[in-house]
Amino acid sequence: MPAQRFSRRYLARHRRSAQLYKRAKKVTPGGVESNVRYFKPHPFFADYGDGGYIYDVDGNKILDFMMGFGSLLLGHNNRDVALEVIRQLESGSMLGVTTTLFVQYIEQIRKAFPSLKKVRLANSGTEATMHALRAARSYTGKDKIAKVEGAYHGAHDYVLQSLDMDGRTARRMGENYRAVPFGKGIPKVISDITVTFPFNDPDKTAEILEKNVDDVGAVIVEPVLCGPGVITPKRNYLKHLRRITRKLGIVLIFDEVLTGLRLARGGAQEYYDVTPDMTCFGKIAGGGFQLAGFGGEAQIMDVIAPGGGWKHGTFHAGTYNGHPVSLAAGLKCLEILRDNPGIYDHVNGLGRRLFSGLQDLADDRKIPAWVEYVGSIGNLYFTTQDELNNFRDTLNVNNKRWWNWFIHCLGNNVLFGIPNVGERAFICSEHTEEDVDFALEVADNALAAIGREVRRHRAKPPEVTVEAVKKQVAQYGQETPVPPHV
Ligand code: PMP
């Protein structure tokens, strides 16, 4: 729970949301559509979105750096996209047979990502990674997959592995990386066929993949590790990974659901100049509508071509695949990005201004923090580290401090992400320098409040009670120093 003094203004400004939240909680688990939307003290309810802002049911105008979990590179309610959607609605929302729009869309996405020789569509990033992995397994005839510890690839069992864990579990595991399910309900056998390895460590990655080469058909990776926020690839890690997987004959899948069309039109593969065998895309690709897909080398993708029969073919389907409304929105978005390459200079420039500005503010206030960013994605970590290489580097981050900072900012109408598994902020084309400067002013006020709290704690150490020690032992393990939560 954020300290009350940090959430007071948020609570005062979101009374109607609080009422609606009470109502929602009665009829849906946790009162939210998706677990990651929940945050304490309660989420707020949106009325509508426009450009870089969300307007909520309490009449607040909130500067939005969450941007539909990164899907709204063009901002809320882009007029050109909306008009295409309306036009398509007049021709039928769900046709269920193949359309010209489908082919046009795939031709356009192939232009953005030249590595996509053949493509299939899906409705969410989750579906895209699930189907890509199946195709890769089918192609290689190997059952195991390998993923990076801490990486998020959607909500299916095969990838909800080693997404998060506490410091104690990580320390016990040490260098013997193994998959641990993210929560209950995931059969243990799935963890047994998942191999995990650390991001940004080419030697360990090579060692683990070599050891499992007989069983692992595919490596799936977020080219920028965003499961734990934002961790950029360092020291040519992606090129090393490309070399290792090529040598071992393992299919390399880039999950570009988040980075695709964001870091550059051609995603992280263009930005870092590394070509995977397969790519998953989503989010921005649908222009704010449900559209995702996967593709890559023709000989891999052809395993899902129909006609192989139930026994020899590889299945891919979906009632809403290639939904015309999503295609109309997605195609328009792709065209806008093709015709306006300046959008990337704009959002990346603002990203630099916002994220380096946040770092300077924290440094000026002598609050230990590290801002990791690339292009228009970034995150502030309250940590004493000044390099983050992998998921485990984020285990010592002071999440409570982040939460207090976040809710203080949101109480002043700036949304810096959602404080859940891996928070991060995104810039959209509609944000301006004035927006960023306003956000920095609000962020600085929150940092000032954090600074006061830090000094208060230093002056008066918290009372050590038996209960507090028991709680710490349960949470962090006996030998762990207590993080200076504020
Ligand atoms: N892969 C990555 C890298 C993602 O960031 C996400 C969503 N945040 C997904 C897959 C899953 O996408 P969706 O939520 O559309 O299922």
Coordinates of all heavy atoms in Angstrom, one line a residue, residues 69 123-127 129 152-155 222 224 226-227 255-259 280 282-283 292 424, ligand 1:
F69 N -0.7 0.5 -22.9 CA 0.3 -0.5 -22.7 C 1.3 -0.5 -23.9 O 1.8 -1.5 -24.3 CB -0.2 -1.9 -22.5 CG -0.9 -2.1 -21.2 CD1 -2.3 -1.9 -21.2 CD2 -0.3 -2.3 -20.0 CE1 -3.0 -2.0 -20.0 CE2 -0.9 -2.3 -18.8 CZ -2.3 -2.2 -18.8
N123 N -5.0 -12.2 -32.8 CA -5.8 -11.1 -32.2 C -5.0 -10.5 -31.0 O -5.5 -9.5 -30.4 CB -7.1 -11.6 -31.7 CG -7.9 -12.1 -32.9 OD1 -8.3 -11.4 -33.7 ND2 -8.0 -13.4 -32.9
S124 N -4.0 -11.1 -30.5 CA -3.3 -10.6 -29.3 C -1.9 -11.1 -29.4 O -1.5 -12.1 -30.1 CB -3.9 -11.1 -28.0 OG -3.7 -12.5 -27.9
G125 N -1.0 -10.4 -28.6 CA 0.4 -10.9 -28.6 C 0.5 -12.3 -28.0 O 1.4 -13.1 -28.4
T126 N -0.4 -12.6 -27.1 CA -0.4 -13.9 -26.4 C -0.6 -15.0 -27.5 O 0.2 -16.0 -27.6 CB -1.5 -14.0 -25.4 OG1 -1.3 -13.0 -24.4 CG2 -1.7 -15.4 -24.8
E127 N -1.6 -14.8 -28.3 CA -1.8 -15.8 -29.4 C -0.6 -15.8 -30.4 O -0.3 -16.9 -30.8 CB -3.0 -15.3 -30.2 CG -4.4 -15.6 -29.6 CD -5.5 -15.1 -30.6 OE1 -5.5 -15.5 -31.8 OE2 -6.3 -14.4 -30.1
T129 N 2.6 -15.3 -29.9 CA 3.8 -16.0 -29.4 C 3.4 -17.5 -29.3 O 4.3 -18.4 -29.5 CB 4.3 -15.5 -28.0 OG1 3.2 -15.6 -27.0 CG2 4.7 -14.0 -28.2
Y152 N 8.4 -11.3 -20.6 CA 7.0 -11.5 -20.8 C 6.7 -11.7 -22.2 O 7.0 -10.9 -23.1 CB 6.2 -10.2 -20.2 CG 4.7 -10.5 -20.3 CD1 4.1 -11.4 -19.4 CD2 3.9 -9.7 -21.1 CE1 2.8 -11.6 -19.5 CE2 2.5 -9.9 -21.1 CZ 2.0 -10.9 -20.3 OH 0.6 -11.1 -20.3
H153 N 5.9 -12.8 -22.5 CA 5.5 -13.0 -23.9 C 4.0 -13.3 -24.0 O 3.6 -14.0 -24.8 CB 6.3 -14.2 -24.4 CG 7.8 -14.0 -24.5 ND1 8.4 -13.1 -25.3 CD2 8.8 -14.6 -23.7 CE1 9.7 -13.2 -25.1 NE2 10.0 -14.1 -24.2
G154 N 3.3 -12.8 -23.0 CA 1.8 -13.1 -23.0 C 1.4 -14.0 -21.9 O 2.2 -14.4 -21.0
A155 N 0.1 -14.4 -22.0 CA -0.5 -15.0 -20.8 C -0.7 -16.5 -21.0 O -1.5 -17.1 -20.2 CB -1.8 -14.3 -20.5
E222 N 12.5 -11.1 -25.9 CA 12.1 -9.7 -26.1 C 13.5 -9.0 -26.4 O 14.3 -8.9 -25.5 CB 11.6 -9.1 -24.8 CG 10.2 -9.5 -24.3 CD 9.8 -8.7 -23.1 OE1 10.1 -9.1 -22.0 OE2 9.1 -7.7 -23.3
V224 N 14.3 -6.0 -26.4 CA 14.5 -5.1 -25.2 C 13.7 -5.8 -24.1 O 12.5 -6.0 -24.2 CB 14.0 -3.7 -25.4 CG1 14.2 -2.8 -24.2 CG2 14.8 -3.0 -26.6
C226 N 11.5 -6.2 -21.5 CA 10.5 -5.3 -20.9 C 9.7 -6.0 -19.8 O 8.9 -5.3 -19.2 CB 9.6 -4.7 -22.0 SG 10.5 -3.5 -23.0
G227 N 9.8 -7.3 -19.7 CA 9.1 -7.9 -18.5 C 9.4 -7.2 -17.2 O 8.5 -6.8 -16.5
D255 N 10.3 -11.5 -30.0 CA 8.9 -11.0 -29.7 C 8.9 -9.5 -29.7 O 9.4 -8.9 -28.8 CB 8.6 -11.6 -28.3 CG 7.2 -11.1 -27.8 OD1 6.6 -10.2 -28.5 OD2 6.8 -11.5 -26.7
E256 N 8.4 -9.0 -30.8 CA 8.4 -7.5 -31.0 C 7.1 -6.9 -30.8 O 6.7 -5.9 -31.4 CB 8.9 -7.2 -32.4 CG 10.4 -7.6 -32.7 CD 11.3 -6.4 -33.1 OE1 11.0 -5.3 -32.6 OE2 12.2 -6.6 -33.9
V257 N 6.3 -7.6 -29.9 CA 4.9 -7.1 -29.7 C 5.0 -5.7 -29.1 O 4.2 -4.8 -29.4 CB 4.2 -8.1 -28.7 CG1 2.9 -7.4 -28.1 CG2 3.9 -9.4 -29.4
L258 N 6.0 -5.4 -28.3 CA 6.2 -4.1 -27.7 C 7.1 -3.2 -28.5 O 6.9 -2.0 -28.6 CB 6.7 -4.3 -26.3 CG 6.4 -3.2 -25.3 CD1 6.0 -3.7 -23.9 CD2 7.6 -2.3 -25.2
T259 N 8.2 -3.8 -29.0 CA 9.2 -2.9 -29.6 C 8.9 -2.7 -31.1 O 9.4 -1.7 -31.7 CB 10.6 -3.6 -29.5 OG1 10.5 -5.0 -30.0 CG2 11.2 -3.6 -28.1
C280 N 7.2 -11.9 -33.7 CA 5.8 -11.7 -33.3 C 5.6 -10.2 -33.2 O 6.5 -9.5 -32.7 CB 5.6 -12.3 -31.9 SG 5.9 -14.1 -31.9
G282 N 2.4 -7.0 -32.5 CA 1.1 -6.7 -32.0 C 1.0 -5.3 -31.6 O 1.6 -4.4 -32.3
K283 N 0.2 -4.9 -30.6 CA 0.1 -3.6 -30.1 C 0.0 -2.5 -31.2 O -1.1 -2.4 -31.8 CB 1.3 -3.2 -29.2 CG 1.3 -4.2 -27.9 CD 2.0 -3.6 -26.7 CE 2.2 -4.6 -25.6 NZ 1.4 -4.4 -24.4
A292 N -2.6 -8.8 -34.0 CA -1.2 -9.2 -33.8 C -0.9 -10.2 -34.9 O -1.7 -10.5 -35.7 CB -1.1 -9.8 -32.4
R424 N 6.5 0.8 -17.0 CA 7.4 1.6 -17.9 C 6.5 2.6 -18.6 O 5.3 2.6 -18.5 CB 8.0 0.7 -19.1 CG 7.0 0.1 -20.0 CD 7.7 -1.0 -20.8 NE 7.7 -2.2 -20.1 CZ 6.7 -3.0 -19.9 NH1 5.5 -2.7 -20.5 NH2 6.8 -4.1 -19.2
Ligands
PMP1 N1 4.8 -10.0 -25.8 C1 5.3 -8.8 -25.3 C2 6.7 -8.4 -25.4 C3 4.4 -8.0 -24.6 O1 4.8 -6.8 -24.1 C4 3.0 -8.4 -24.5 C5 2.0 -7.5 -23.8 N2 2.5 -6.5 -23.0 C6 2.6 -9.6 -25.0 C7 3.6 -10.4 -25.7 C8 1.2 -10.1 -24.9 O2 0.4 -9.3 -25.7 P1 -1.2 -9.3 -25.4 O3 -1.3 -8.5 -24.1 O4 -1.7 -8.6 -26.6 O5 -1.6 -10.7 -25.4

